[in-house]
Amino acid sequence: MKNLLTLAATLGLVLLATATLADEGSCIGCHAGQPGKLGEEPIAQWRDSVHQRQGISCHSCHGGDPTLMTMEAMDPARGFIGSPDEEAVPAFCGRCHVGVEQDYRDSAHGLALGAGGPECVTCHGSHDVQIATIDLINPQDCSRCHEYGRAGELRNAMEQTEMKLVDLERQLRRLHRLGVDTDALQGSLFSLRNDFHRLLHSVDVDKVRRQTADYRLRAGEIQAQINQIRSELGKRKWVGAGVVVLLLGACLLFVLLHRNYQQMDEHLRRKKK
């Protein structure tokens, strides 16, 4: 019996390990045991990234076959790309971020690619990619390449609209917790945020100032829909309160009528005696 339990426990551990590797892919399975930049470091960064939270794993970017636990997983015939050279990074990331790539290439940053200009991972990182916000524009990071002055102007031009987008997201989360279907509004906000953040890649202060009004208008439309939902919720709340009051009143009336009936019945019984 003891041997059977041991065998069962061993099989359980093997199945668990197999399921984990199948879920994360052979990339994690093989590289997890390697030190530094080929293993633990990028894996830890990826686990804390927006890519991981969105289900984008190693092979989504680097290609290859994550179901194989052999070197064949990195065969170019199986779509393996590996890590791009610096000048190939925009096209590498642009496979998913199509519009952003073009905005970047048209910008002062993109035009300086290969001549000391930054590319995607310079600002966003490679494996520890986080949700893009205007916090990426800051003295510490921007000053690695140039003075912060112009970058600060860009941030100031975007900051008010960015704060509004953050507030809209906060409001939608509250509505979602109340049971409201916010999928459509979340989709609209997601599209608006992406379009707005594309301006950041243009690094063109004048362009931002010209186009900001349009994004604020779109944000205002989302806010109007949120306000309408809140108004409906408020009406329902008052209707619900009214129904509760009516029910309480009906219960009270029933109690009074019942008590009155009992008193009349008692009075009639006394008269008969």
Side-chain angles (χ1 to χ4, degrees):
M1 184 67 176
K2 183 177 180 181
N3 290 337
L4 287 175
L5 290 174
T6 302
L7 178 60
T10 302
L11 286 173
L13 290 173
V14 170
L15 289 174
L16 178 60
T18 303
T20 301
L21 288 177
D23 181 56
E24 296 187 329
S26 60
C27 309
I28 303 295
C30 290
H31 284 271
Q34 301 183 42
K37 294 183 178 181
L38 287 178
E40 297 174 356
E41 183 179 322
I43 291 173
Q45 292 174 345
W46 170 77
R47 289 192 192 283
D48 189 41
S49 72
V50 67
H51 280 174
Q52 190 276 337
R53 293 191 290 274
Q54 296 297 326
I56 299 170
S57 58
C58 311
H59 67 280
S60 302
C61 295
H62 298 287
D65 188 344
T67 65
L68 296 177
M69 294 298 293
T70 65
M71 293 299 290
E72 291 182 36
M74 297 188 293
D75 189 336
R78 296 183 179 275
F80 183 68
I81 301 172
S83 298
D85 295 330
E86 181 180 354
E87 293 186 30
V89 169
F92 186 86
C93 300
R95 291 174 298 162
C96 294
H97 303 283
V98 180
V100 173
E101 179 194 358
Q102 191 57 52
D103 288 336
Y104 160 79
R105 289 191 181 278
D106 293 338
S107 73
H109 284 172
L111 295 174
L113 180 64
E119 26 79 9
C120 311
V121 300
T122 306
C123 299
H124 296 280
S126 54
H127 295 97
D128 57 342
V129 180
Q130 300 299 319
I131 294 176
T133 70
I134 62 171
D135 288 337
L136 288 172
I137 309 174
N138 61 79
Q140 180 179 350
D141 290 328
C142 297
S143 296
R144 289 179 296 166
C145 300
H146 50 69
E147 292 184 358
Y148 181 64
R150 189 69 172 172
E153 291 182 35
L154 180 66
R155 176 173 177 135
N156 291 337
M158 300 184 73
E159 196 156 23
Q160 187 175 357
T161 304
E162 176 76 6
M163 290 173 62
K164 181 60 181 177
L165 298 183
V166 171
D167 181 58
L168 288 173
E169 178 65 34
R170 190 180 300 116
Q171 293 182 62
L172 288 176
R173 283 199 300 268
R174 284 200 293 264
L175 289 178
H176 181 71
R177 285 195 293 268
L178 292 174
V180 177
D181 182 2
T182 59
D183 286 351
L185 284 174
Q186 285 283 9
S188 297
L189 180 57
F190 180 82
S191 177
L192 172 57
R193 185 190 295 110
N194 281 353
D195 290 346
F196 181 63
H197 285 171
R198 284 182 59 177
L199 281 178
L200 185 152
H201 294 88
S202 72
V203 293
D204 185 334
V205 178
D206 295 330
K207 181 179 180 180
V208 169
R209 288 170 177 163
R210 287 195 308 270
Q211 296 187 10
T212 293
D214 178 59
Y215 295 110
R216 288 182 183 173
L217 180 63
R218 289 169 60 184
E221 291 171 353
I222 295 175
Q223 182 66 69
Q225 294 179 68
I226 291 175
N227 292 343
Q228 184 176 357
I229 292 173
R230 283 178 169 173
S231 177
E232 291 296 327
L233 289 175
K235 290 177 183 178
R236 292 177 190 175
K237 183 178 179 181
W238 282 109
V239 170
V243 170
V244 170
V245 171
L246 288 174
L247 288 174
L248 289 174
C251 290
L252 179 61
L253 180 61
F254 175 80
V255 170
L256 292 174
L257 289 173
H258 182 67
R259 183 179 297 174
N260 188 48
Y261 172 79
Q262 287 179 323
Q263 291 174 349
M264 290 178 62
D265 186 60
E266 181 67 22
H267 179 70
L268 290 172
R269 282 201 298 269
R270 288 177 180 176
K271 286 184 67 175
K272 286 180 180 180
K273 292 180 179 179

